[in-house]
Every structure is written in structure tokens, then in C-alpha cells.
Amino acid sequence: MSTPVAPDLEFIRSLKAFGGENLKSCYQCATCSVVCPISTDDRPFPRPEMIHAQWGMKEKLVSDPLVWVCHNCRDCSSYCPRGAKPGELLSAVRDYTITHFAWPRPFARLFNDAKYLPLLFAIPAVILLVALGIEGHLHIPEGEIVYSKLFSIHILEYLYIPVSFFGFIAGLMGMRRYWTGISAHRAGESPRRTMAEAAVLTGKEILSHTQFRKCSVEGKRYYGHLPMLYGFLGAFATTTLVTLYYYLFDRLTPLPLYDPVKILGNVSAVLLLYGCARLVARRFEKGPEERNNLPSSYFDWLFLGLLTAVAVTGTLTELTRLSGAAGIAYPTYFIHLCLIFMLLGYMPYSKFAHLFYRTAAMVHEKMYAAEEVAVVLPGPPEEPPEEVEEEEEEEEAAAPAAAGGPAATSPLGGGGSPLGGGSKIGGGAPPSMFGGSKIGGGAPPSSPLGGGSKIGGGPPPSSPLGGGGGIGGTPPPPPGGGSKIGGSPPPPAGGSKIGGSPPPPAGGSTIGGSPPPPAPGGSKIGGTPPPPMFGGVPGGAKPPAPPAPPAEEEAKDE
Amino acid sequence: MANDTAAEPKLGTYICTGCGLGDALDIEALEKIANGDPKSSTCKTNAFLCSDEGVKVIRDDIDGEGVNRVVIAACSGRVNQDVFAFGDDVVLDRVNLREQVAWCHTPNDEETDALAQDYLRMGLVKNSKSSIPESSVTQEVYDTLLVIGAGATGMQAAIEAAKAGHKVVLVEKEAELGGYLRTLHRQLPQRQPYAELSEPDLARKEGEVKAQPNIEVMTSSEVVKISGQPGLFTALVKRDGDEVAMQVGSVVLATGASSYDAAKLDHLGFGASPNVVSSDTFEAMAKSGKIVRPSDGRPATSVAFVLCAGSRDPDHLPYCSSSCCATSLKQAAYVREADPVNGRAFVFYRDMRTPGHQEYFYKAMQEDEGVFLTKGNVTEVKPVGANQVSVTAEETLLGGPITVEVDLVVLATGIVPSTLENDILALEYRQGAALPDLKYGFPDSHFICFPYETRRTGIFAAGTVRAPMDIANAYIDGGGAAMKAIQAIEYARTGIAALPRAMDPTYPDFGLDRCTACKRCTEECPFGTLNEDEKGFPQLNINRCRRCGICMGACPERVINFQNYSIDGTSSQIRAIDIPSEDSGKLRFLAFMCENDAYPAIDMAGVKRLQYDVQVRFVPVRCLGAINQVWIADSLSGGFDGVMLLGCKHGDNYQCHMIRGSELAVERLGKIQETLDRLGLEAERVQYIEFPISEYQRFPEIVKGFVKHINKIGPNPFKGF
Ligand code: HEM
Ligand code: SF4
Ligand code: SF4
Ligand code: SF4
Ligand code: SF4
């Protein structure tokens, strides 16, 4: 049966407006599908999505089951030889989907344009002012700063429980529409798992961020999202506990600093702040090439900014209270409350809705996916190989390299060509071939030296020459860093723009770098040893930092 | 026509001992041969003959001693041609002792020396049988070029030739200049960044033509007859019922192509709905500013383009028409230009072939949000209601069959050369009025080596009549063909051959007194050189002749000879080869090899120091078609054990420089083998071996195989007679 196609030009324009400007440049080479960690042989992704977007096939894309499994790691974008930016396109599809499935739909339009922002702020502000008027609290309270002097806990309950409920229910409505869409997409397939089983697996994955860890170009976001998620959950738990304190023990805020709930609250705040700071910082980070930068639309900023503002104003609320400056403390608190209202109440219309859609997509995927795509690469080493401080430094060193960007500059280099990043060629240590990675070998997760970075293992950061490379960077991790796309060898460490510079006898490979001697490098594409066929051709490693163990990261924050 | 007044022959033989020759060969024995018969008046050896001093030795002999024949026994005649150049008054022969003797055979070996000695003897004999050709120029040539067709190619050819100082007559059958250019709404981008369509070039080119005083434009005119030969053509042009005769030196055929008949494309829906049109019709719609559905005249906002409509289809045009991909993209731009908000252009291609700068345009069009491109095989085009058409394509990039409903379907019809069904030139040639085609009606002569060259010397095809191409390439073609046409006039002026034996001053000499008017030469000449008089005797049009020698190979009476390449000359060379007695156990093979490909290939084998059987003697020929059967008969009766004919590929995608030489050789071989059978000689003693230049590495093996085969049959029983 032939599919009738009637391109929706408006849809294409919307996708462009949401950040997918280059969607039309795709020429279907499938390089993206080779590098994408969630693509499989029988279900390439996101190449088909690109042509669906080009042909304005809205219905197909808004109910595409994989679009929300994509973690926007942007590996695809940095390898796309045409600069079509598939990662950005998928982001745009997600943003569009949120608007498309939002309930009630017309309301969602207010979130696509900055000009409505004052209105969005005014809604909670007016409501809260009205509440204050009703309570007769339209002035800065006297004496010790106690926020319940401004809003009683009842008022807050009457207001925020329904608002959260609204946000949540409306979010679920969108989620349901999406679920129906993807189910239709997969009509005829029979599930491999029950929904409950899939939900448990999904929960585990979300809490451990396994999928996030597979990102390489956007690898650092993992360090932002994880603390932020736990910080958010902690803050949510704190609020709930405070309410319970009140009803069960009749205890009112402010709580003393040694109280366990207070401690939980403060730790959460720090995590949230830290997480937001990293995510915001990434959005400002600029690499030497345009493709290294994370494009940010208003829609991106709306949610991230809101969350950050909530975290910041929350912290300021506490600090100004402790400082005793009532004239600042109460207004700050007021603003904080407005922002929380926006965050929770507008959940289904902002990017916050990703929580619903992503959960739905992940559960669905685990129910149906023929192949387990969740556990593909070895995770970060169990033992932290370096001090945390050093880890930070490494990232610094790697940054320009990461930014140097693969591909575009050279047809032979990294991802630019089908010979480069694009091809599923290259081996790894044979035994691990079947173990870890999809294509190349991977160091078994237990290896103390194995598999840190997904792209490009290389010499230790101390190397005077290391770390500069654009395509064939020679970035940091400890010897044996598992390389996804060609690692370059430790000793001589030339940070070349194209291709890692291998020690003479080994010969760099177009795709694979040459072997980091001590431990088998986990290689997805290329890696160890280079296929002789490609020996000596420039290419090789793409840089960024190796994910350091999350435990260490958190430890530092505490 | 040999030069009777030439001075007494005085031969100088020069043997080089450099490049390892002195160490490998018995030089004294060679000197002895040089002083034998034919006797050299002087024989010198030199350790470095191609050095200034070496060449001076020869020069001094020519200037001081009156030496007028020179045999150089040294390196291959293909190298050092600029060094050993002694002018037109000296008969020069080169004996290849280096690439074909010393470098590929065991040094200081009896058989290697025998080979060198045979070659020297052959060289000396050949030299003694050659003469200096008398000039073939009989009258002043005409300088004017005739350019037929005033489209992009023709106008460009006329402009370039005029700029080079030649008079041009530009003949156009329509009332106005422009051809295909005149039909265009817009033209593909011509400037960086090749993203924007440009206005058609028509006005600009027309202006350039009219500004050239050297160009005489004849519109509404047609060529009705061309006779004569390069430098001396007479063309009859008909205008308004009058016939004008004009004398021109060469001809550029730039009559372009027409579109493939869309009526034959009913499988793509043509005829099923008025809303299925050809790209020409669509171009005309765009030019008139009305991109509409013919069914109801409403604007066509969605348009599907079906590419390769007829092209690359064995049932229609088996070739790629080369420009329709880009043309369709251009027309997709019209759709978008007409309605930037809702205009939709669907392009179904088989492969997007946008060579050169067109690729940039393709990229630019790809960016347009209203242009939808996919690879796919269009399987069905059918009307939907009165005004819509649906197009279904399989194997698309979207993952499966898809269907779109559109207002208009445009079939990107391919192109057919104007020469396919029309002789156009009306040549008064014995072999017919038309230009012979290479394939599919395109009158090219050789697929890669000689662009613009047709099989009629002095007549050049350019633009889409020669091969499918876009306008940018048509301009290049026009300019290129004009230059070739000027060159042809110059060759005729000096009486030398055109490609591939460019500059050769020799020519076939017909001993008509012994000719029986069997017409073989007039039929077989690949270049239509020979006409026939009323009695059927060949008439040589010397400037058409490419000096291939195929007529010489054809002639049963052996009356056709060149001044340095004759029946007797080659027979004598064959006889000069020493045939060892049967008891010696040594065999002798003769290999006729084509000078164009086989000779350089064998040189290459020598340069690479490949070693092969030393019992083979090479006789270079102008073309395998230039082997007269008498030579084969001579060699077998003279005791050779086997004969090889080494030549190029023939048939489809032939590589024969003389078009039909190797094909004719094979054909003639069939006949000679019958004769051999009758003589009781095994037919396999004579074999044609296809030997492309790229396969020189295989040469030792080829020889080995042949020798093995003959060994099985046994030595030639005629030895010693
Ligand atoms: C259901 C569990 C969740 C999953 C699977 C998930 C996954 C993701 C993913 C893959 C991204 C990157 C998307 C992109 O850049 O386009 C992201 C971004 C983000 N997530 Fe989550 N998330 C979840 C829950 C949360 C929660 C509870 C919060 C916090 C309140 C949160 C806050 C954020 C923020 C602020 C960003 C934006 C980062 C940026 O713009 O750079 N997420 N999330
Ligand atoms: S890598 Fe780029 S051009 Fe290639 S299929 Fe993916 S998006 Fe398209
Ligand atoms: S951003 Fe990452 S996960 Fe998403 S499609 Fe691209 S490569 Fe795949
Ligand atoms: S130019 Fe394009 S449409 Fe035309 S025949 Fe060639 S491939 Fe087909
Ligand atoms: S030499 Fe060749 S071109 Fe000339 S007349 Fe003979 S066959 Fe024709």
C-alpha cells in the first residue's frame, strides 16, 4: 500500500522556527544513524525522521516513538556531513509535539513567543496579590522574618495543590495523546514486556541516567541533569515533608538548620543550583565552530530559565531571611512563589513536559523494542581514576577540542564522510565485540582502565601536546579510555586537527585511532586495532571529556 | 607522387650504446649489418646519442656529408622525437633496440642479438624503401567556417571563431537566432554561488554575434548540400527558395537536439490527463507567466516532476540526457516563485545528476521548504477527478511507496540528437549523406580521445547534437569545436594529416593504372575519404584522409602505398628477418602491432623490464586495418611459425583510433584462414589478440600462451622453402 503524502508546509516552517532551520539540507546519507546511540540496524534513526521532516509529515513525527528517546546528545549533528543538524531537528519536533498535544491546546501558543512572558508572569502574580488582599497581608510583615506571616500555609495549599494537580493532569492528557499516537505507530507489533516491567526498567534508567551517559557531544549535560533531578526530587520531598510536619507534629517553618528536613532541603537546593548552573553554562559555551554550540531557542530558555530562577530565588529566600533584611526577603519570596506557580502550573506547555513524553516514550520503547538499546556501552569506570578537580581540568582542556568539531572540515576526517565517522567499521578487542558496544569492542565494564569516553580515548591530560585536536583530538582519559570513535594513542599525542596522530608503526586509521596500549579501548567505531585497510589515513578521535563517576561529582557538592 | 627530384640516397646509420645497449648487445655485429646491404655510407656508434654531441654527429653528417637518410638504432621511436628531428628532407627511421630488445630480453644472449640484428635489418630496408612525400597541397584553402545551427553552441562557435580572425557563416533554420535558448524562461545559475536562476543568455549572445563583423548570419536557411573536402568545401545553402553556394574551409555542426516525444510515455500518464505535460510545455507555461492546470486554467500550485522520463530506459532512450535533472530543479523554482506560500514542487528522481556547478543549485533548491525531493521509481500517474493527478512512486527515501496528489505533472523528457532522423549536412560523399553515428544517433567519432571529431574530417559536432549536455557545456563545446575547425583548415593548408596521425605529411598513393575498381577501399575507408568516378575508380580527397592505411590493407591489387609505408616496404622488412633452420629448435613469430596502442604498451612492458619470449618480431602498422593480407601470406610462406595481430578493442565501445581497423582486421582474418586451410596450414597460426594499452603487464603471458599453442601444432612446415 502506498502512503498518501501531503506535506504540511506550516509544520515545516514551525520546525524551522523551533530550531530545525537546516532540516532541508539532509541528503539521506545516514551518517547520523550510524553514530546515534539509539539507532539500530533494523531501525535506523534519525535518518528517516529527517526526510519525514523535509516532507512535512507532521502526523508521523509527532507520534514517532523514538523522538523522545533521543537524548539530544548531538552526536548526529556534529557528524552530519551536510550540516543538517538532525539533533536540533529532533529538539524542534519535541518542542512542536509539546505544543501539539498540549491540553488545552490554544493555551500552549502562549509559550512559543517571548512576548507573552509578562502575561505568564502576571497570572500567578495577580492571583497571589488577590490572595494577599483577601488575607489583608498587602504589606511587609513586622518583626522576625517568618514567611507564613505573608502567606499562611493554608493559602499555599489551596493554591498550589490544585495548580500542581492541574499541571500534572494536563501533562498526563498530553502524554496520553502521545501514547495513543505512538501505539498507532506500532500497531501490529506485539510487546515483549508488560507495561509494568517496562515501567520498572524505565524508572531505573531515569534514576541512574544510563542513557544520558551515552551522550558524547553533549556528554557534560549528564553532570547537570543528574544533580538537578535529584535536587528537584529532594526539594519536592522537602515541601511534602514540611506539610507533613505541620499536620503531624504541628511544626511550622522556619526549621532549625540541623533538622533533617532542613538538611534535605538545603542539600537539594545546592544540587538543583549546581545542576542548573551547569546546564545554563553549557548553553552559553561557544566552540570554535558553530556546530559545537548548543543552539538555544526561547522555548529552551523558558523552562531552563524558570527552573534556574526557582532554584535561585528559593536560595535567596532562605539567605535573605537569615540576613534579616525583611524588605528584600518578602518580595523575593513572593517572586519565588510566582515562579513555582509557573513551573508547576505551566508544566504541560513548557519543556518541563519532557518528563511526561520521555517517560512515555521510554516505557513504550522498552515494551516494544526488538533490541535492548538501553544497555549498549560500558558505563563509567566503577573506580574513579582521578580526583574530581582534575576531572574539571580535563574538561577545560577538552573543551576546545570538543569544539574543534569533527567532520565538516575534512571529507576523510571523523564524521564528515561515510568513510569517517559514518561507517560502522572498525573493531575493538575481539572478545568484547559482543559484550559491550554495538559495533566495535568495548572494554568490559569491570576493567579498571577501560571505557571512559565514548569518543576518542587518548593520552593523559598531562601530555604537553594533548588535547588540542579538532577531529583527531587527543583528549584526556586514563590509558585505555574506551573510544567510541577512534582513540588516538597516548605517547606522542599530537593534537592534530584532523586525525589523531598515531605513533608511526601503528598507523592512524580513518575511522579508528590506534590502540591505547595497556587496556583494550572500548571502541564503537574504529578503535583498536585499526583496520589495516584504512591505516595511515587521517581521521580518528573526536574529543570530549570522559564522564567521571557521578558519585565523586556529588561528593564534591556536599 | 614520390619525389623524383630527390637527391641520391645517402644513408647514415647511428647506433647508440648508452642506456645499457652497449653492455647488452653485440654492437660490432650490428655495425657489420649497417655496412652490409643496404649499405650505409656512414655508420657510427655513440655512447650517448641523444646528447648534444651525439645529435651533432648526425647533424654534421647531414649538413657536411649530404646524408639524407638516417637510421637510428637506439631507443623507441616514441621518445626523443624532439631530439632526433632533422627536418622534412631527411628520411628518418628509428630502430627500437632499447624498450623492445635490451630492456626485455637476456643481455649478451645469442637470441637477443639475433633480435637486435633483425630489427636493424628491417629498419635499414624500410628506410631504403621510403621516400619524401611531395606536398599534397594543390590550391589555396578557404578560411571561412560554416556553423550550422545558431543555438547556444552555434553562436558560441561563431563568436569564438570570429574572434580568432576567421570569417563565419552562421546558418539557422528558424527566423531568429537562439534555438533552445529562445524557449527558456530562466536559465540555470551562471555565477557564484550558483543559487539564483539567471535571465536567459539569448539577448547577450545575440548581441555578441551581431557585433561581430566576421559573422554572416543566415536565418530561415538550410544547408542542402556539402561537397569537397577540408579546406575546400562547397556548401549549398537554401534561403527563401534561393540556393546560395559558398566556399568554406570547415564545418561545425551545432544543430542541437529535440525533446523525446512525450506521446511515447503513456506509462507515465502522458495523455491520460491534460495535466500531464512535458518539460518543454512547462517551460513555455512559465515563460508566458501562466503556470496553470490545462484542464481548467486554475493556477497549478502543486507540481510533480518525474525525472528520467524516457531517459535511462532501454525501451526509450538508454542514455542519461544529462540536463533534465537540473532543468527540473529550475522548473521547481518556478513553482515556488509563483506561489512562495503554498507552492509545492515534488521531484521524483532516479539519481540526482547535477554535475559541476549544478550541484550548488541542487543544494540551494534542496533548502527550499516547498521543494520535496526523493529518489524513487514512478510506477503510476493517473488522473484523480477532473483536475488532479496522482503520482505513485516506489522505493522512495521515505521508506516505501508513496502517493502525492498534484495539480500538474511534468515529465522531464530526455533529448534526441537532431541528426537521428535527419541528415542535415547532405554530404555529397560516396558513403552517404549523413554523419555516421557513434551510438544512439550522436555523430561522435570516438568516445573519449577526440572530442568534437566526427568521422568526416573537417566536420565537427558540438553541443547537444554531439552528446547530452547543459548550456554551460554547450558553450565550451562551441568554443572547442571552433578551434578544431580552424585547426582543420590549417592542416589542409599545409597538407598534413589531422588526428590521430596529426602532422603526418605522407598520404596514400593510388596506382590507378592497376586498379580494378573493386571498390573495397571506397567502401572500407572509415572516414569517407574516397569518392568514385563514374567507372567506379577511387577518387582521393586528400584532405579528408586520416592516413590510416585501411585502404592499403583492403586493396587486393596492392596498388595503394604510402611514401614510408608500402606493401613492398613491409614485405621486404619481413623478408629481412632471419629464419633459423628447423633443426635449430628456434621458432620465429611475427607480430603486427597497432602503432597507436599496442606499440606504446609493449614499450611500457620494456620500461618495466618485463621479460618475454625473444622469438617474436614486431612489425608496427598504422592500424590493424592497414595490414595487407599479402604480408601474412609472405610471412607464413617465409617460414614464420605463427603470426599475431595485436590491436585494440572493436565493436561496442571500441577503442580503435581508426574506428573500424581492428574490426576489419578480424573480418579479413576470417577470409585468410580459409586460404590457410586450403594450403594445409593450421588456421590458428594466425591470431588476432585484443591488447589494450592498460594491460601491458599481461604481455609476457599473452606471448607465452601463443607460443605454447604453436608449439603444440609444431613448426611451420614451409620452413626452408
Ligand atoms: C522523566 C524523567 C526525565 C527524563 C528522562 C529527562 C530527560 C531529559 C533529557 C534527555 C533532556 C535533554 C533534552 C534536550 O536537551 O532537549 C532533559 C533536559 C532537561 N531536563 Fe530532564 N528529564 C527528566 C526529568 C526532569 C526533571 C524532573 C527535571 C527538573 C525539574 C528536569 C529538568 C531538565 C532541564 C532543566 C532540562 C534542560 C536542560 C537544557 O536545556 O540544557 N528533567 N531532560
Ligand atoms: S547525517 Fe545529516 S545528511 Fe546524513 S542522513 Fe543524517 S541528517 Fe541527513
Ligand atoms: S541527538 Fe543523539 S540520541 Fe538524538 S538522534 Fe542525535 S545522535 Fe541520536
Ligand atoms: S539528467 Fe537526470 S533526469 Fe535526465 S536522464 Fe540523467 S538522471 Fe535522468
Ligand atoms: S588512408 Fe585511411 S582515411 Fe585515407 S583513404 Fe585510406 S582508408 Fe581512407
Side-chain angles (χ1 to χ4, degrees), chain A residues 62-65 68 101 174-182 357 360-361:
Chain A
V62 292
S63 56
D64 187 306
W68 285 99
F101 284 128
M175 181 176 178
R176 221 193 59 152
R177 289 176 174 180
Y178 174 61
W179 184 273
T180 314
I182 50 179
Y357 292 100

Side-chain angles (χ1 to χ4, degrees), chain A residues 178-229:
Chain A
Y178 174 61
W179 184 273
T180 314
I182 50 179
S183 300
H185 204 99
R186 278 188 166 137
E189 292 177 43
S190 49
R192 294 171 62 242
R193 291 200 181 85
T194 64
M195 198 192 291
E197 281 169 349
V200 170
L201 280 175
T202 303
K204 277 188 191 160
E205 184 170 313
I206 290 173
L207 291 178
S208 60
H209 272 44
T210 32
Q211 191 67 38
F212 255 119
R213 272 194 258 181
K214 283 177 220 152
C215 300
S216 55
V217 170
E218 289 304 327
K220 284 194 263 173
R221 218 182 22 195
Y222 166 75
Y223 304 111
H225 198 274
L226 191 77
M228 186 200 54
L229 178 74

Side-chain angles (χ1 to χ4, degrees), chain A residues 78-124:
Chain A
S78 59
Y79 277 84
C80 170
R82 264 281 172 106
K85 301 197 177 166
E88 280 76 336
L89 181 267
L90 292 169
S91 271
V93 172
R94 285 190 291 267
D95 296 352
Y96 185 92
T97 308
I98 291 174
T99 311
H100 181 74
F101 284 128
W103 178 88
R105 198 178 289 173
F107 194 48
R109 298 236 174 82
L110 301 182
F111 296 82
N112 295 341
D113 194 333
K115 71 176 179 224
Y116 297 118
L117 187 57
L119 173 68
L120 295 179
F121 185 82
I123 293 173

Side-chain angles (χ1 to χ4, degrees), chain A residues 2 5 7 13 24-25 82, chain B residues 341 344 366-367 369 371 401 403:
Chain A
S2 144
V5 180
R13 289 181 197 126
K24 276 280 182 174
S25 305
R82 264 281 172 106
Chain B
V341 178
R344 271 153 241 235
Q366 203 191 10
E367 289 298 329
E369 63 200 17
V371 174
T403 301

Side-chain angles (χ1 to χ4, degrees), chain B residues 508 510 525-527 529-530 540 545-551 562:
Chain B
F510 286 69
C525 170
F527 303 104
T529 304
L530 306 165
L540 177 65
C545 175
R546 305 274 180 107
R547 281 68 162 177
C548 62
I550 285 176
C551 50
F562 293 79

Side-chain angles (χ1 to χ4, degrees), chain B residues 307-308 311-312 320-325 351 353:
Chain B
L307 272 57
C308 297
S311 298
R312 304 174 66 200
C320 168
S321 294
S322 174
S323 57
C324 17
C325 279
D351 298 286
R353 291 185 172 176

